[in-house]
Amino acid sequence: MRPRPAALFAMTAENVPHIFPPDVLARLGNAVEIDPTLTAENFTDPRVRDALADTEILITGWGCPHIDEAVLAAAPRLRAILHAAGSVKGLTSPAVWERGITVSSAAGANALPVAEYTLAMILLAGKDLFAQRDRLRVQRAFPYGEIMPGIGNFGRRVGVVGASRIGRRLIELLRPFDLRVTLADPYVDATEAAALGVPLLPLDELLRTSDIVTVHAPQTPETLHLIGRRELALMPTGSVLVNTARGALLDHDALVEELRANRLSAILDVTDPEPLPVDSPLFDLPNAFITPHLAGSQGNEVARLGLAVTEEAERLLSGRELAHAIDHAVLERTA
């Protein structure tokens, strides 16, 4: 029987049992030789340095130290980095790609809970749930049987900004509902948009014609304040902006002005900075609903990331094509 290749965890140690609960860890252990008690929180630890000499597969996650030339020199047998989280941009140096190391990410697995969160927020926003909850808290009563104009999800116009993994997964999740979904993404053409089942619009037109706008673009120099003062002014009065991507994609000062004017509402799971200063007006504005960056994998959802990495390790060792391999050229223009 072929010996199992040596693997090493590189992440914050406390995350390992959450991402790899016993059943997932056992399955991973069937594929690779790994010590769950040894985790590289830094690459200078003598035990870690010794383990690196034989490591063929590095299993990374949140808290992984930067993988630079010195680390690669200490790991001459390393052939794959399997990341149990989202973007690998912050942990991989150019030397990783120059050496031809295979890199894979569980970003696709992490996209599902973000898309689920966004779907929930869209449907709740369509029902004006947050404002109605606040009214009920104040009034402690409501006119039974009253039909509230302007509320509901039948034919609600939803604009998706960015056909990222999350944006695409969200479009899939939105299909069963009676919503009118459109997409804006400069890297998607009409043929690809048609395959996704949504009309492709320029960003300005999408903003003008959407009741709910949800942002799923990557953070790059080009997307800084992608939704700024001019773009916010295009959105119809009464519309809702949802952001689960990166806080820097929005101009928060301009957004606060729109919220104070009671022209728009916002649902923000990410902010800039993050966390917000304690005196940020976003905490107190009634038409701002802020959550603590929880759309991504949390609680029992993080085990999905470990499972995705385990399945990727099994593909790697059986000679099959990896399902979530990273293309370096694509990575350079994404988050």
Side-chain angles (χ1 to χ4, degrees):
M1 180 180 292
R2 183 179 177 182
R4 291 172 295 165
L8 175 67
F9 286 124
M11 62 183 74
T12 304
E14 65 182 18
N15 286 332
V16 172
H18 299 294
I19 300 173
F20 294 91
D23 58 331
V24 179
L25 183 62
R27 181 169 169 181
L28 178 66
N30 288 331
V32 299
E33 187 73 41
I34 193 163
D35 180 356
T37 69
L38 179 61
T39 304
E41 295 188 289
N42 65 73
F43 289 121
T44 59
D45 182 302
R47 289 182 65 210
V48 170
R49 300 292 287 190
D50 289 344
L52 278 174
D54 295 319
T55 296
E56 296 182 53
I57 300 172
L58 204 56
I59 297 179
T60 60
W62 296 304
C64 176
H66 190 63
I67 303 169
D68 56 19
E69 291 183 8
V71 174
L72 296 179
R77 301 182 64 187
L78 184 66
R79 59 187 174 111
I81 297 170
L82 307 182
H83 190 50
S87 176
V88 300
K89 208 167 190 178
L91 63 93
T92 54
S93 68
V96 169
W97 307 98
E98 291 165 7
R99 196 164 116 179
I101 291 171
T102 297
V103 181
S104 171
S105 167
N110 195 45
L112 177 55
V114 182
E116 291 173 341
Y117 171 103
T118 308
L119 169 65
M121 294 300 108
I122 288 170
L123 296 177
L124 293 176
K127 281 289 195 178
D128 195 29
L129 180 131
F130 306 115
Q132 296 303 324
R133 175 204 60 185
D134 290 345
R135 290 190 193 101
L136 184 58
R137 281 178 170 175
V138 172
Q139 298 173 2
R140 304 297 170 106
F142 63 95
Y144 185 75
E146 177 188 25
I147 295 177
M148 301 179 183
I151 289 178
N153 287 306
F154 180 61
R156 182 73 66 184
R157 301 171 301 175
V158 177
V160 178
V161 179
S164 60
R165 290 184 184 89
I166 296 166
R168 291 166 187 263
R169 196 66 184 264
L170 175 63
I171 289 169
E172 291 177 10
L173 295 180
L174 290 170
R175 284 195 186 114
F177 301 95
D178 290 320
L179 299 164
R180 289 182 286 166
V181 182
T182 56
L183 171 68
D185 190 314
Y187 296 103
V188 172
D189 60 23
T191 301
E192 189 175 3
L196 291 170
V198 292
L200 183 66
L201 299 179
L203 178 60
D204 284 5
E205 185 177 351
L206 180 144
L207 294 171
R208 288 193 191 99
T209 58
S210 296
D211 302 306
I212 300 172
V213 173
T214 179
V215 181
H216 302 287
Q219 181 176 331
T220 66
E222 293 74 26
T223 59
L224 177 66
H225 290 182
L226 176 70
I227 310 295
R229 182 169 278 103
R230 186 188 73 82
E231 289 76 20
L232 290 168
L234 296 174
M235 295 178 63
T237 297
S239 58
V240 181
L241 179 64
V242 182
N243 189 14
T244 59
R246 291 290 184 269
L249 272 62
L250 307 186
D251 180 338
H252 281 62
D253 291 339
L255 177 61
V256 166
E257 291 177 13
E258 294 282 7
L259 296 174
R260 281 177 168 156
N262 204 31
R263 220 183 61 75
L264 306 176
S265 297
I267 299 171
L268 307 176
D269 188 56
V270 291
T271 57
D272 183 30
E274 195 170 49
L276 288 169
V278 295
D279 60 350
S280 170
L282 289 170
F283 285 124
D284 299 312
L285 286 166
N287 47 353
F289 185 77
I290 314 297
T291 55
H293 203 140
L294 54 74
S297 298
Q298 292 284 344
N300 61 25
E301 294 167 336
V302 300
R304 184 189 283 123
L305 306 179
L307 180 60
V309 162
T310 299
E311 292 172 342
E312 200 76 316
E314 292 169 344
R315 293 186 193 98
L316 177 71
L317 300 176
S318 66
R320 289 176 288 160
E321 182 178 353
L322 296 189
H324 309 294
I326 302 295
D327 182 310
H328 187 218
V330 173
L331 179 68
E332 285 302 295
R333 64 173 176 83
T334 60

PDB file of all heavy atoms in Angstrom, residues 246-266:
ATOM      1  N   ARG A 246     -16.977  43.295   0.936  1.00  0.00           N
ATOM      2  CA  ARG A 246     -15.952  43.984   1.702  1.00  0.00           C
ATOM      3  C   ARG A 246     -16.441  45.403   1.966  1.00  0.00           C
ATOM      4  O   ARG A 246     -17.042  46.041   1.096  1.00  0.00           O
ATOM      5  CB  ARG A 246     -14.621  44.029   0.932  1.00  0.00           C
ATOM      6  CG  ARG A 246     -13.934  42.677   0.782  1.00  0.00           C
ATOM      7  CD  ARG A 246     -13.379  42.176   2.106  1.00  0.00           C
ATOM      8  NE  ARG A 246     -12.625  40.931   1.965  1.00  0.00           N
ATOM      9  CZ  ARG A 246     -13.149  39.716   2.079  1.00  0.00           C
ATOM     10  NH1 ARG A 246     -14.440  39.587   2.331  1.00  0.00           N
ATOM     11  NH2 ARG A 246     -12.392  38.649   1.949  1.00  0.00           N
ATOM     12  N   GLY A 247     -16.154  45.904   3.170  1.00  0.00           N
ATOM     13  CA  GLY A 247     -16.648  47.213   3.543  1.00  0.00           C
ATOM     14  C   GLY A 247     -16.156  48.328   2.649  1.00  0.00           C
ATOM     15  O   GLY A 247     -16.871  49.301   2.382  1.00  0.00           O
ATOM     16  N   ALA A 248     -14.909  48.212   2.151  1.00  0.00           N
ATOM     17  CA  ALA A 248     -14.310  49.281   1.359  1.00  0.00           C
ATOM     18  C   ALA A 248     -14.971  49.468  -0.002  1.00  0.00           C
ATOM     19  O   ALA A 248     -14.697  50.455  -0.688  1.00  0.00           O
ATOM     20  CB  ALA A 248     -12.812  49.023   1.171  1.00  0.00           C
ATOM     21  N   LEU A 249     -15.846  48.558  -0.405  1.00  0.00           N
ATOM     22  CA  LEU A 249     -16.565  48.736  -1.664  1.00  0.00           C
ATOM     23  C   LEU A 249     -17.601  49.853  -1.570  1.00  0.00           C
ATOM     24  O   LEU A 249     -18.067  50.349  -2.594  1.00  0.00           O
ATOM     25  CB  LEU A 249     -17.243  47.430  -2.090  1.00  0.00           C
ATOM     26  CG  LEU A 249     -16.384  46.479  -2.927  1.00  0.00           C
ATOM     27  CD1 LEU A 249     -15.159  45.994  -2.175  1.00  0.00           C
ATOM     28  CD2 LEU A 249     -17.207  45.284  -3.405  1.00  0.00           C
ATOM     29  N   LEU A 250     -17.976  50.241  -0.346  1.00  0.00           N
ATOM     30  CA  LEU A 250     -18.948  51.310  -0.135  1.00  0.00           C
ATOM     31  C   LEU A 250     -18.264  52.542   0.438  1.00  0.00           C
ATOM     32  O   LEU A 250     -17.369  52.432   1.276  1.00  0.00           O
ATOM     33  CB  LEU A 250     -20.040  50.872   0.838  1.00  0.00           C
ATOM     34  CG  LEU A 250     -20.798  49.577   0.561  1.00  0.00           C
ATOM     35  CD1 LEU A 250     -21.925  49.425   1.579  1.00  0.00           C
ATOM     36  CD2 LEU A 250     -21.340  49.544  -0.859  1.00  0.00           C
ATOM     37  N   ASP A 251     -18.722  53.707   0.024  1.00  0.00           N
ATOM     38  CA  ASP A 251     -18.327  54.967   0.653  1.00  0.00           C
ATOM     39  C   ASP A 251     -19.260  55.162   1.842  1.00  0.00           C
ATOM     40  O   ASP A 251     -20.421  55.559   1.679  1.00  0.00           O
ATOM     41  CB  ASP A 251     -18.453  56.110  -0.355  1.00  0.00           C
ATOM     42  CG  ASP A 251     -18.049  57.459   0.232  1.00  0.00           C
ATOM     43  OD1 ASP A 251     -18.063  57.615   1.473  1.00  0.00           O
ATOM     44  OD2 ASP A 251     -17.736  58.361  -0.566  1.00  0.00           O
ATOM     45  N   HIS A 252     -18.762  54.881   3.048  1.00  0.00           N
ATOM     46  CA  HIS A 252     -19.633  54.898   4.225  1.00  0.00           C
ATOM     47  C   HIS A 252     -20.101  56.304   4.577  1.00  0.00           C
ATOM     48  O   HIS A 252     -21.217  56.475   5.078  1.00  0.00           O
ATOM     49  CB  HIS A 252     -18.919  54.252   5.415  1.00  0.00           C
ATOM     50  CG  HIS A 252     -18.928  52.754   5.360  1.00  0.00           C
ATOM     51  ND1 HIS A 252     -18.326  52.051   4.357  1.00  0.00           N
ATOM     52  CD2 HIS A 252     -19.490  51.827   6.184  1.00  0.00           C
ATOM     53  CE1 HIS A 252     -18.497  50.762   4.558  1.00  0.00           C
ATOM     54  NE2 HIS A 252     -19.208  50.599   5.658  1.00  0.00           N
ATOM     55  N   ASP A 253     -19.275  57.309   4.340  1.00  0.00           N
ATOM     56  CA  ASP A 253     -19.706  58.678   4.621  1.00  0.00           C
ATOM     57  C   ASP A 253     -20.901  59.050   3.744  1.00  0.00           C
ATOM     58  O   ASP A 253     -21.887  59.639   4.231  1.00  0.00           O
ATOM     59  CB  ASP A 253     -18.560  59.663   4.387  1.00  0.00           C
ATOM     60  CG  ASP A 253     -17.445  59.513   5.414  1.00  0.00           C
ATOM     61  OD1 ASP A 253     -17.706  58.961   6.508  1.00  0.00           O
ATOM     62  OD2 ASP A 253     -16.304  59.933   5.112  1.00  0.00           O
ATOM     63  N   ALA A 254     -20.812  58.708   2.473  1.00  0.00           N
ATOM     64  CA  ALA A 254     -21.922  59.002   1.561  1.00  0.00           C
ATOM     65  C   ALA A 254     -23.158  58.182   1.934  1.00  0.00           C
ATOM     66  O   ALA A 254     -24.297  58.679   1.853  1.00  0.00           O
ATOM     67  CB  ALA A 254     -21.504  58.712   0.119  1.00  0.00           C
ATOM     68  N   LEU A 255     -22.936  56.939   2.357  1.00  0.00           N
ATOM     69  CA  LEU A 255     -24.066  56.097   2.744  1.00  0.00           C
ATOM     70  C   LEU A 255     -24.775  56.669   3.972  1.00  0.00           C
ATOM     71  O   LEU A 255     -26.011  56.708   4.021  1.00  0.00           O
ATOM     72  CB  LEU A 255     -23.581  54.676   3.035  1.00  0.00           C
ATOM     73  CG  LEU A 255     -24.655  53.694   3.518  1.00  0.00           C
ATOM     74  CD1 LEU A 255     -25.752  53.522   2.478  1.00  0.00           C
ATOM     75  CD2 LEU A 255     -24.028  52.342   3.861  1.00  0.00           C
ATOM     76  N   VAL A 256     -24.004  57.135   4.941  1.00  0.00           N
ATOM     77  CA  VAL A 256     -24.611  57.722   6.145  1.00  0.00           C
ATOM     78  C   VAL A 256     -25.469  58.927   5.766  1.00  0.00           C
ATOM     79  O   VAL A 256     -26.571  59.114   6.309  1.00  0.00           O
ATOM     80  CB  VAL A 256     -23.521  58.109   7.163  1.00  0.00           C
ATOM     81  CG1 VAL A 256     -24.088  59.019   8.250  1.00  0.00           C
ATOM     82  CG2 VAL A 256     -22.919  56.853   7.798  1.00  0.00           C
ATOM     83  N   GLU A 257     -25.027  59.743   4.821  1.00  0.00           N
ATOM     84  CA  GLU A 257     -25.818  60.892   4.382  1.00  0.00           C
ATOM     85  C   GLU A 257     -27.163  60.442   3.811  1.00  0.00           C
ATOM     86  O   GLU A 257     -28.206  61.022   4.117  1.00  0.00           O
ATOM     87  CB  GLU A 257     -25.045  61.693   3.331  1.00  0.00           C
ATOM     88  CG  GLU A 257     -23.831  62.427   3.879  1.00  0.00           C
ATOM     89  CD  GLU A 257     -23.055  63.147   2.778  1.00  0.00           C
ATOM     90  OE1 GLU A 257     -23.596  63.280   1.658  1.00  0.00           O
ATOM     91  OE2 GLU A 257     -21.911  63.565   3.038  1.00  0.00           O
ATOM     92  N   GLU A 258     -27.136  59.388   2.994  1.00  0.00           N
ATOM     93  CA  GLU A 258     -28.382  58.883   2.401  1.00  0.00           C
ATOM     94  C   GLU A 258     -29.297  58.291   3.474  1.00  0.00           C
ATOM     95  O   GLU A 258     -30.524  58.451   3.418  1.00  0.00           O
ATOM     96  CB  GLU A 258     -28.065  57.832   1.332  1.00  0.00           C
ATOM     97  CG  GLU A 258     -27.341  58.358   0.109  1.00  0.00           C
ATOM     98  CD  GLU A 258     -28.275  59.079  -0.854  1.00  0.00           C
ATOM     99  OE1 GLU A 258     -29.462  59.282  -0.523  1.00  0.00           O
ATOM    100  OE2 GLU A 258     -27.806  59.437  -1.955  1.00  0.00           O
ATOM    101  N   LEU A 259     -28.709  57.610   4.438  1.00  0.00           N
ATOM    102  CA  LEU A 259     -29.505  57.017   5.502  1.00  0.00           C
ATOM    103  C   LEU A 259     -30.123  58.096   6.387  1.00  0.00           C
ATOM    104  O   LEU A 259     -31.289  57.989   6.789  1.00  0.00           O
ATOM    105  CB  LEU A 259     -28.647  56.071   6.341  1.00  0.00           C
ATOM    106  CG  LEU A 259     -28.097  54.831   5.621  1.00  0.00           C
ATOM    107  CD1 LEU A 259     -27.140  54.067   6.531  1.00  0.00           C
ATOM    108  CD2 LEU A 259     -29.233  53.919   5.159  1.00  0.00           C
ATOM    109  N   ARG A 260     -29.350  59.118   6.715  1.00  0.00           N
ATOM    110  CA  ARG A 260     -29.881  60.218   7.525  1.00  0.00           C
ATOM    111  C   ARG A 260     -31.012  60.954   6.807  1.00  0.00           C
ATOM    112  O   ARG A 260     -31.943  61.457   7.442  1.00  0.00           O
ATOM    113  CB  ARG A 260     -28.757  61.191   7.875  1.00  0.00           C
ATOM    114  CG  ARG A 260     -27.870  60.700   9.021  1.00  0.00           C
ATOM    115  CD  ARG A 260     -26.734  61.650   9.300  1.00  0.00           C
ATOM    116  NE  ARG A 260     -26.073  61.332  10.567  1.00  0.00           N
ATOM    117  CZ  ARG A 260     -24.825  61.648  10.863  1.00  0.00           C
ATOM    118  NH1 ARG A 260     -24.084  62.309   9.970  1.00  0.00           N
ATOM    119  NH2 ARG A 260     -24.312  61.327  12.034  1.00  0.00           N
ATOM    120  N   ALA A 261     -30.935  61.020   5.489  1.00  0.00           N
ATOM    121  CA  ALA A 261     -32.008  61.636   4.707  1.00  0.00           C
ATOM    122  C   ALA A 261     -33.208  60.709   4.570  1.00  0.00           C
ATOM    123  O   ALA A 261     -34.225  61.098   3.972  1.00  0.00           O
ATOM    124  CB  ALA A 261     -31.475  62.027   3.328  1.00  0.00           C
ATOM    125  N   ASN A 262     -33.079  59.515   5.113  1.00  0.00           N
ATOM    126  CA  ASN A 262     -34.152  58.507   5.076  1.00  0.00           C
ATOM    127  C   ASN A 262     -34.547  58.149   3.646  1.00  0.00           C
ATOM    128  O   ASN A 262     -35.696  57.824   3.364  1.00  0.00           O
ATOM    129  CB  ASN A 262     -35.382  58.987   5.852  1.00  0.00           C
ATOM    130  CG  ASN A 262     -36.230  57.822   6.334  1.00  0.00           C
ATOM    131  OD1 ASN A 262     -35.710  56.749   6.609  1.00  0.00           O
ATOM    132  ND2 ASN A 262     -37.534  58.022   6.408  1.00  0.00           N
ATOM    133  N   ARG A 263     -33.545  58.214   2.755  1.00  0.00           N
ATOM    134  CA  ARG A 263     -33.819  57.885   1.353  1.00  0.00           C
ATOM    135  C   ARG A 263     -33.599  56.407   1.056  1.00  0.00           C
ATOM    136  O   ARG A 263     -34.271  55.818   0.206  1.00  0.00           O
ATOM    137  CB  ARG A 263     -32.922  58.744   0.451  1.00  0.00           C
ATOM    138  CG  ARG A 263     -33.636  59.259  -0.791  1.00  0.00           C
ATOM    139  CD  ARG A 263     -32.703  60.040  -1.671  1.00  0.00           C
ATOM    140  NE  ARG A 263     -31.578  59.256  -2.151  1.00  0.00           N
ATOM    141  CZ  ARG A 263     -31.659  58.336  -3.110  1.00  0.00           C
ATOM    142  NH1 ARG A 263     -32.826  58.065  -3.678  1.00  0.00           N
ATOM    143  NH2 ARG A 263     -30.582  57.680  -3.501  1.00  0.00           N
ATOM    144  N   LEU A 264     -32.638  55.801   1.737  1.00  0.00           N
ATOM    145  CA  LEU A 264     -32.285  54.404   1.521  1.00  0.00           C
ATOM    146  C   LEU A 264     -32.257  53.674   2.855  1.00  0.00           C
ATOM    147  O   LEU A 264     -32.251  54.290   3.920  1.00  0.00           O
ATOM    148  CB  LEU A 264     -30.898  54.288   0.869  1.00  0.00           C
ATOM    149  CG  LEU A 264     -30.625  55.043  -0.431  1.00  0.00           C
ATOM    150  CD1 LEU A 264     -29.167  54.859  -0.816  1.00  0.00           C
ATOM    151  CD2 LEU A 264     -31.555  54.565  -1.527  1.00  0.00           C
ATOM    152  N   SER A 265     -32.182  52.331   2.771  1.00  0.00           N
ATOM    153  CA  SER A 265     -31.882  51.489   3.929  1.00  0.00           C
ATOM    154  C   SER A 265     -30.662  50.648   3.583  1.00  0.00           C
ATOM    155  O   SER A 265     -30.336  50.462   2.400  1.00  0.00           O
ATOM    156  CB  SER A 265     -33.059  50.579   4.270  1.00  0.00           C
ATOM    157  OG  SER A 265     -34.201  51.337   4.633  1.00  0.00           O
ATOM    158  N   ALA A 266     -29.970  50.151   4.608  1.00  0.00           N
ATOM    159  CA  ALA A 266     -28.766  49.358   4.363  1.00  0.00           C
ATOM    160  C   ALA A 266     -28.704  48.188   5.321  1.00  0.00           C
ATOM    161  O   ALA A 266     -29.069  48.307   6.497  1.00  0.00           O
ATOM    162  CB  ALA A 266     -27.516  50.216   4.516  1.00  0.00           C
TER     163      ALA A 266
END
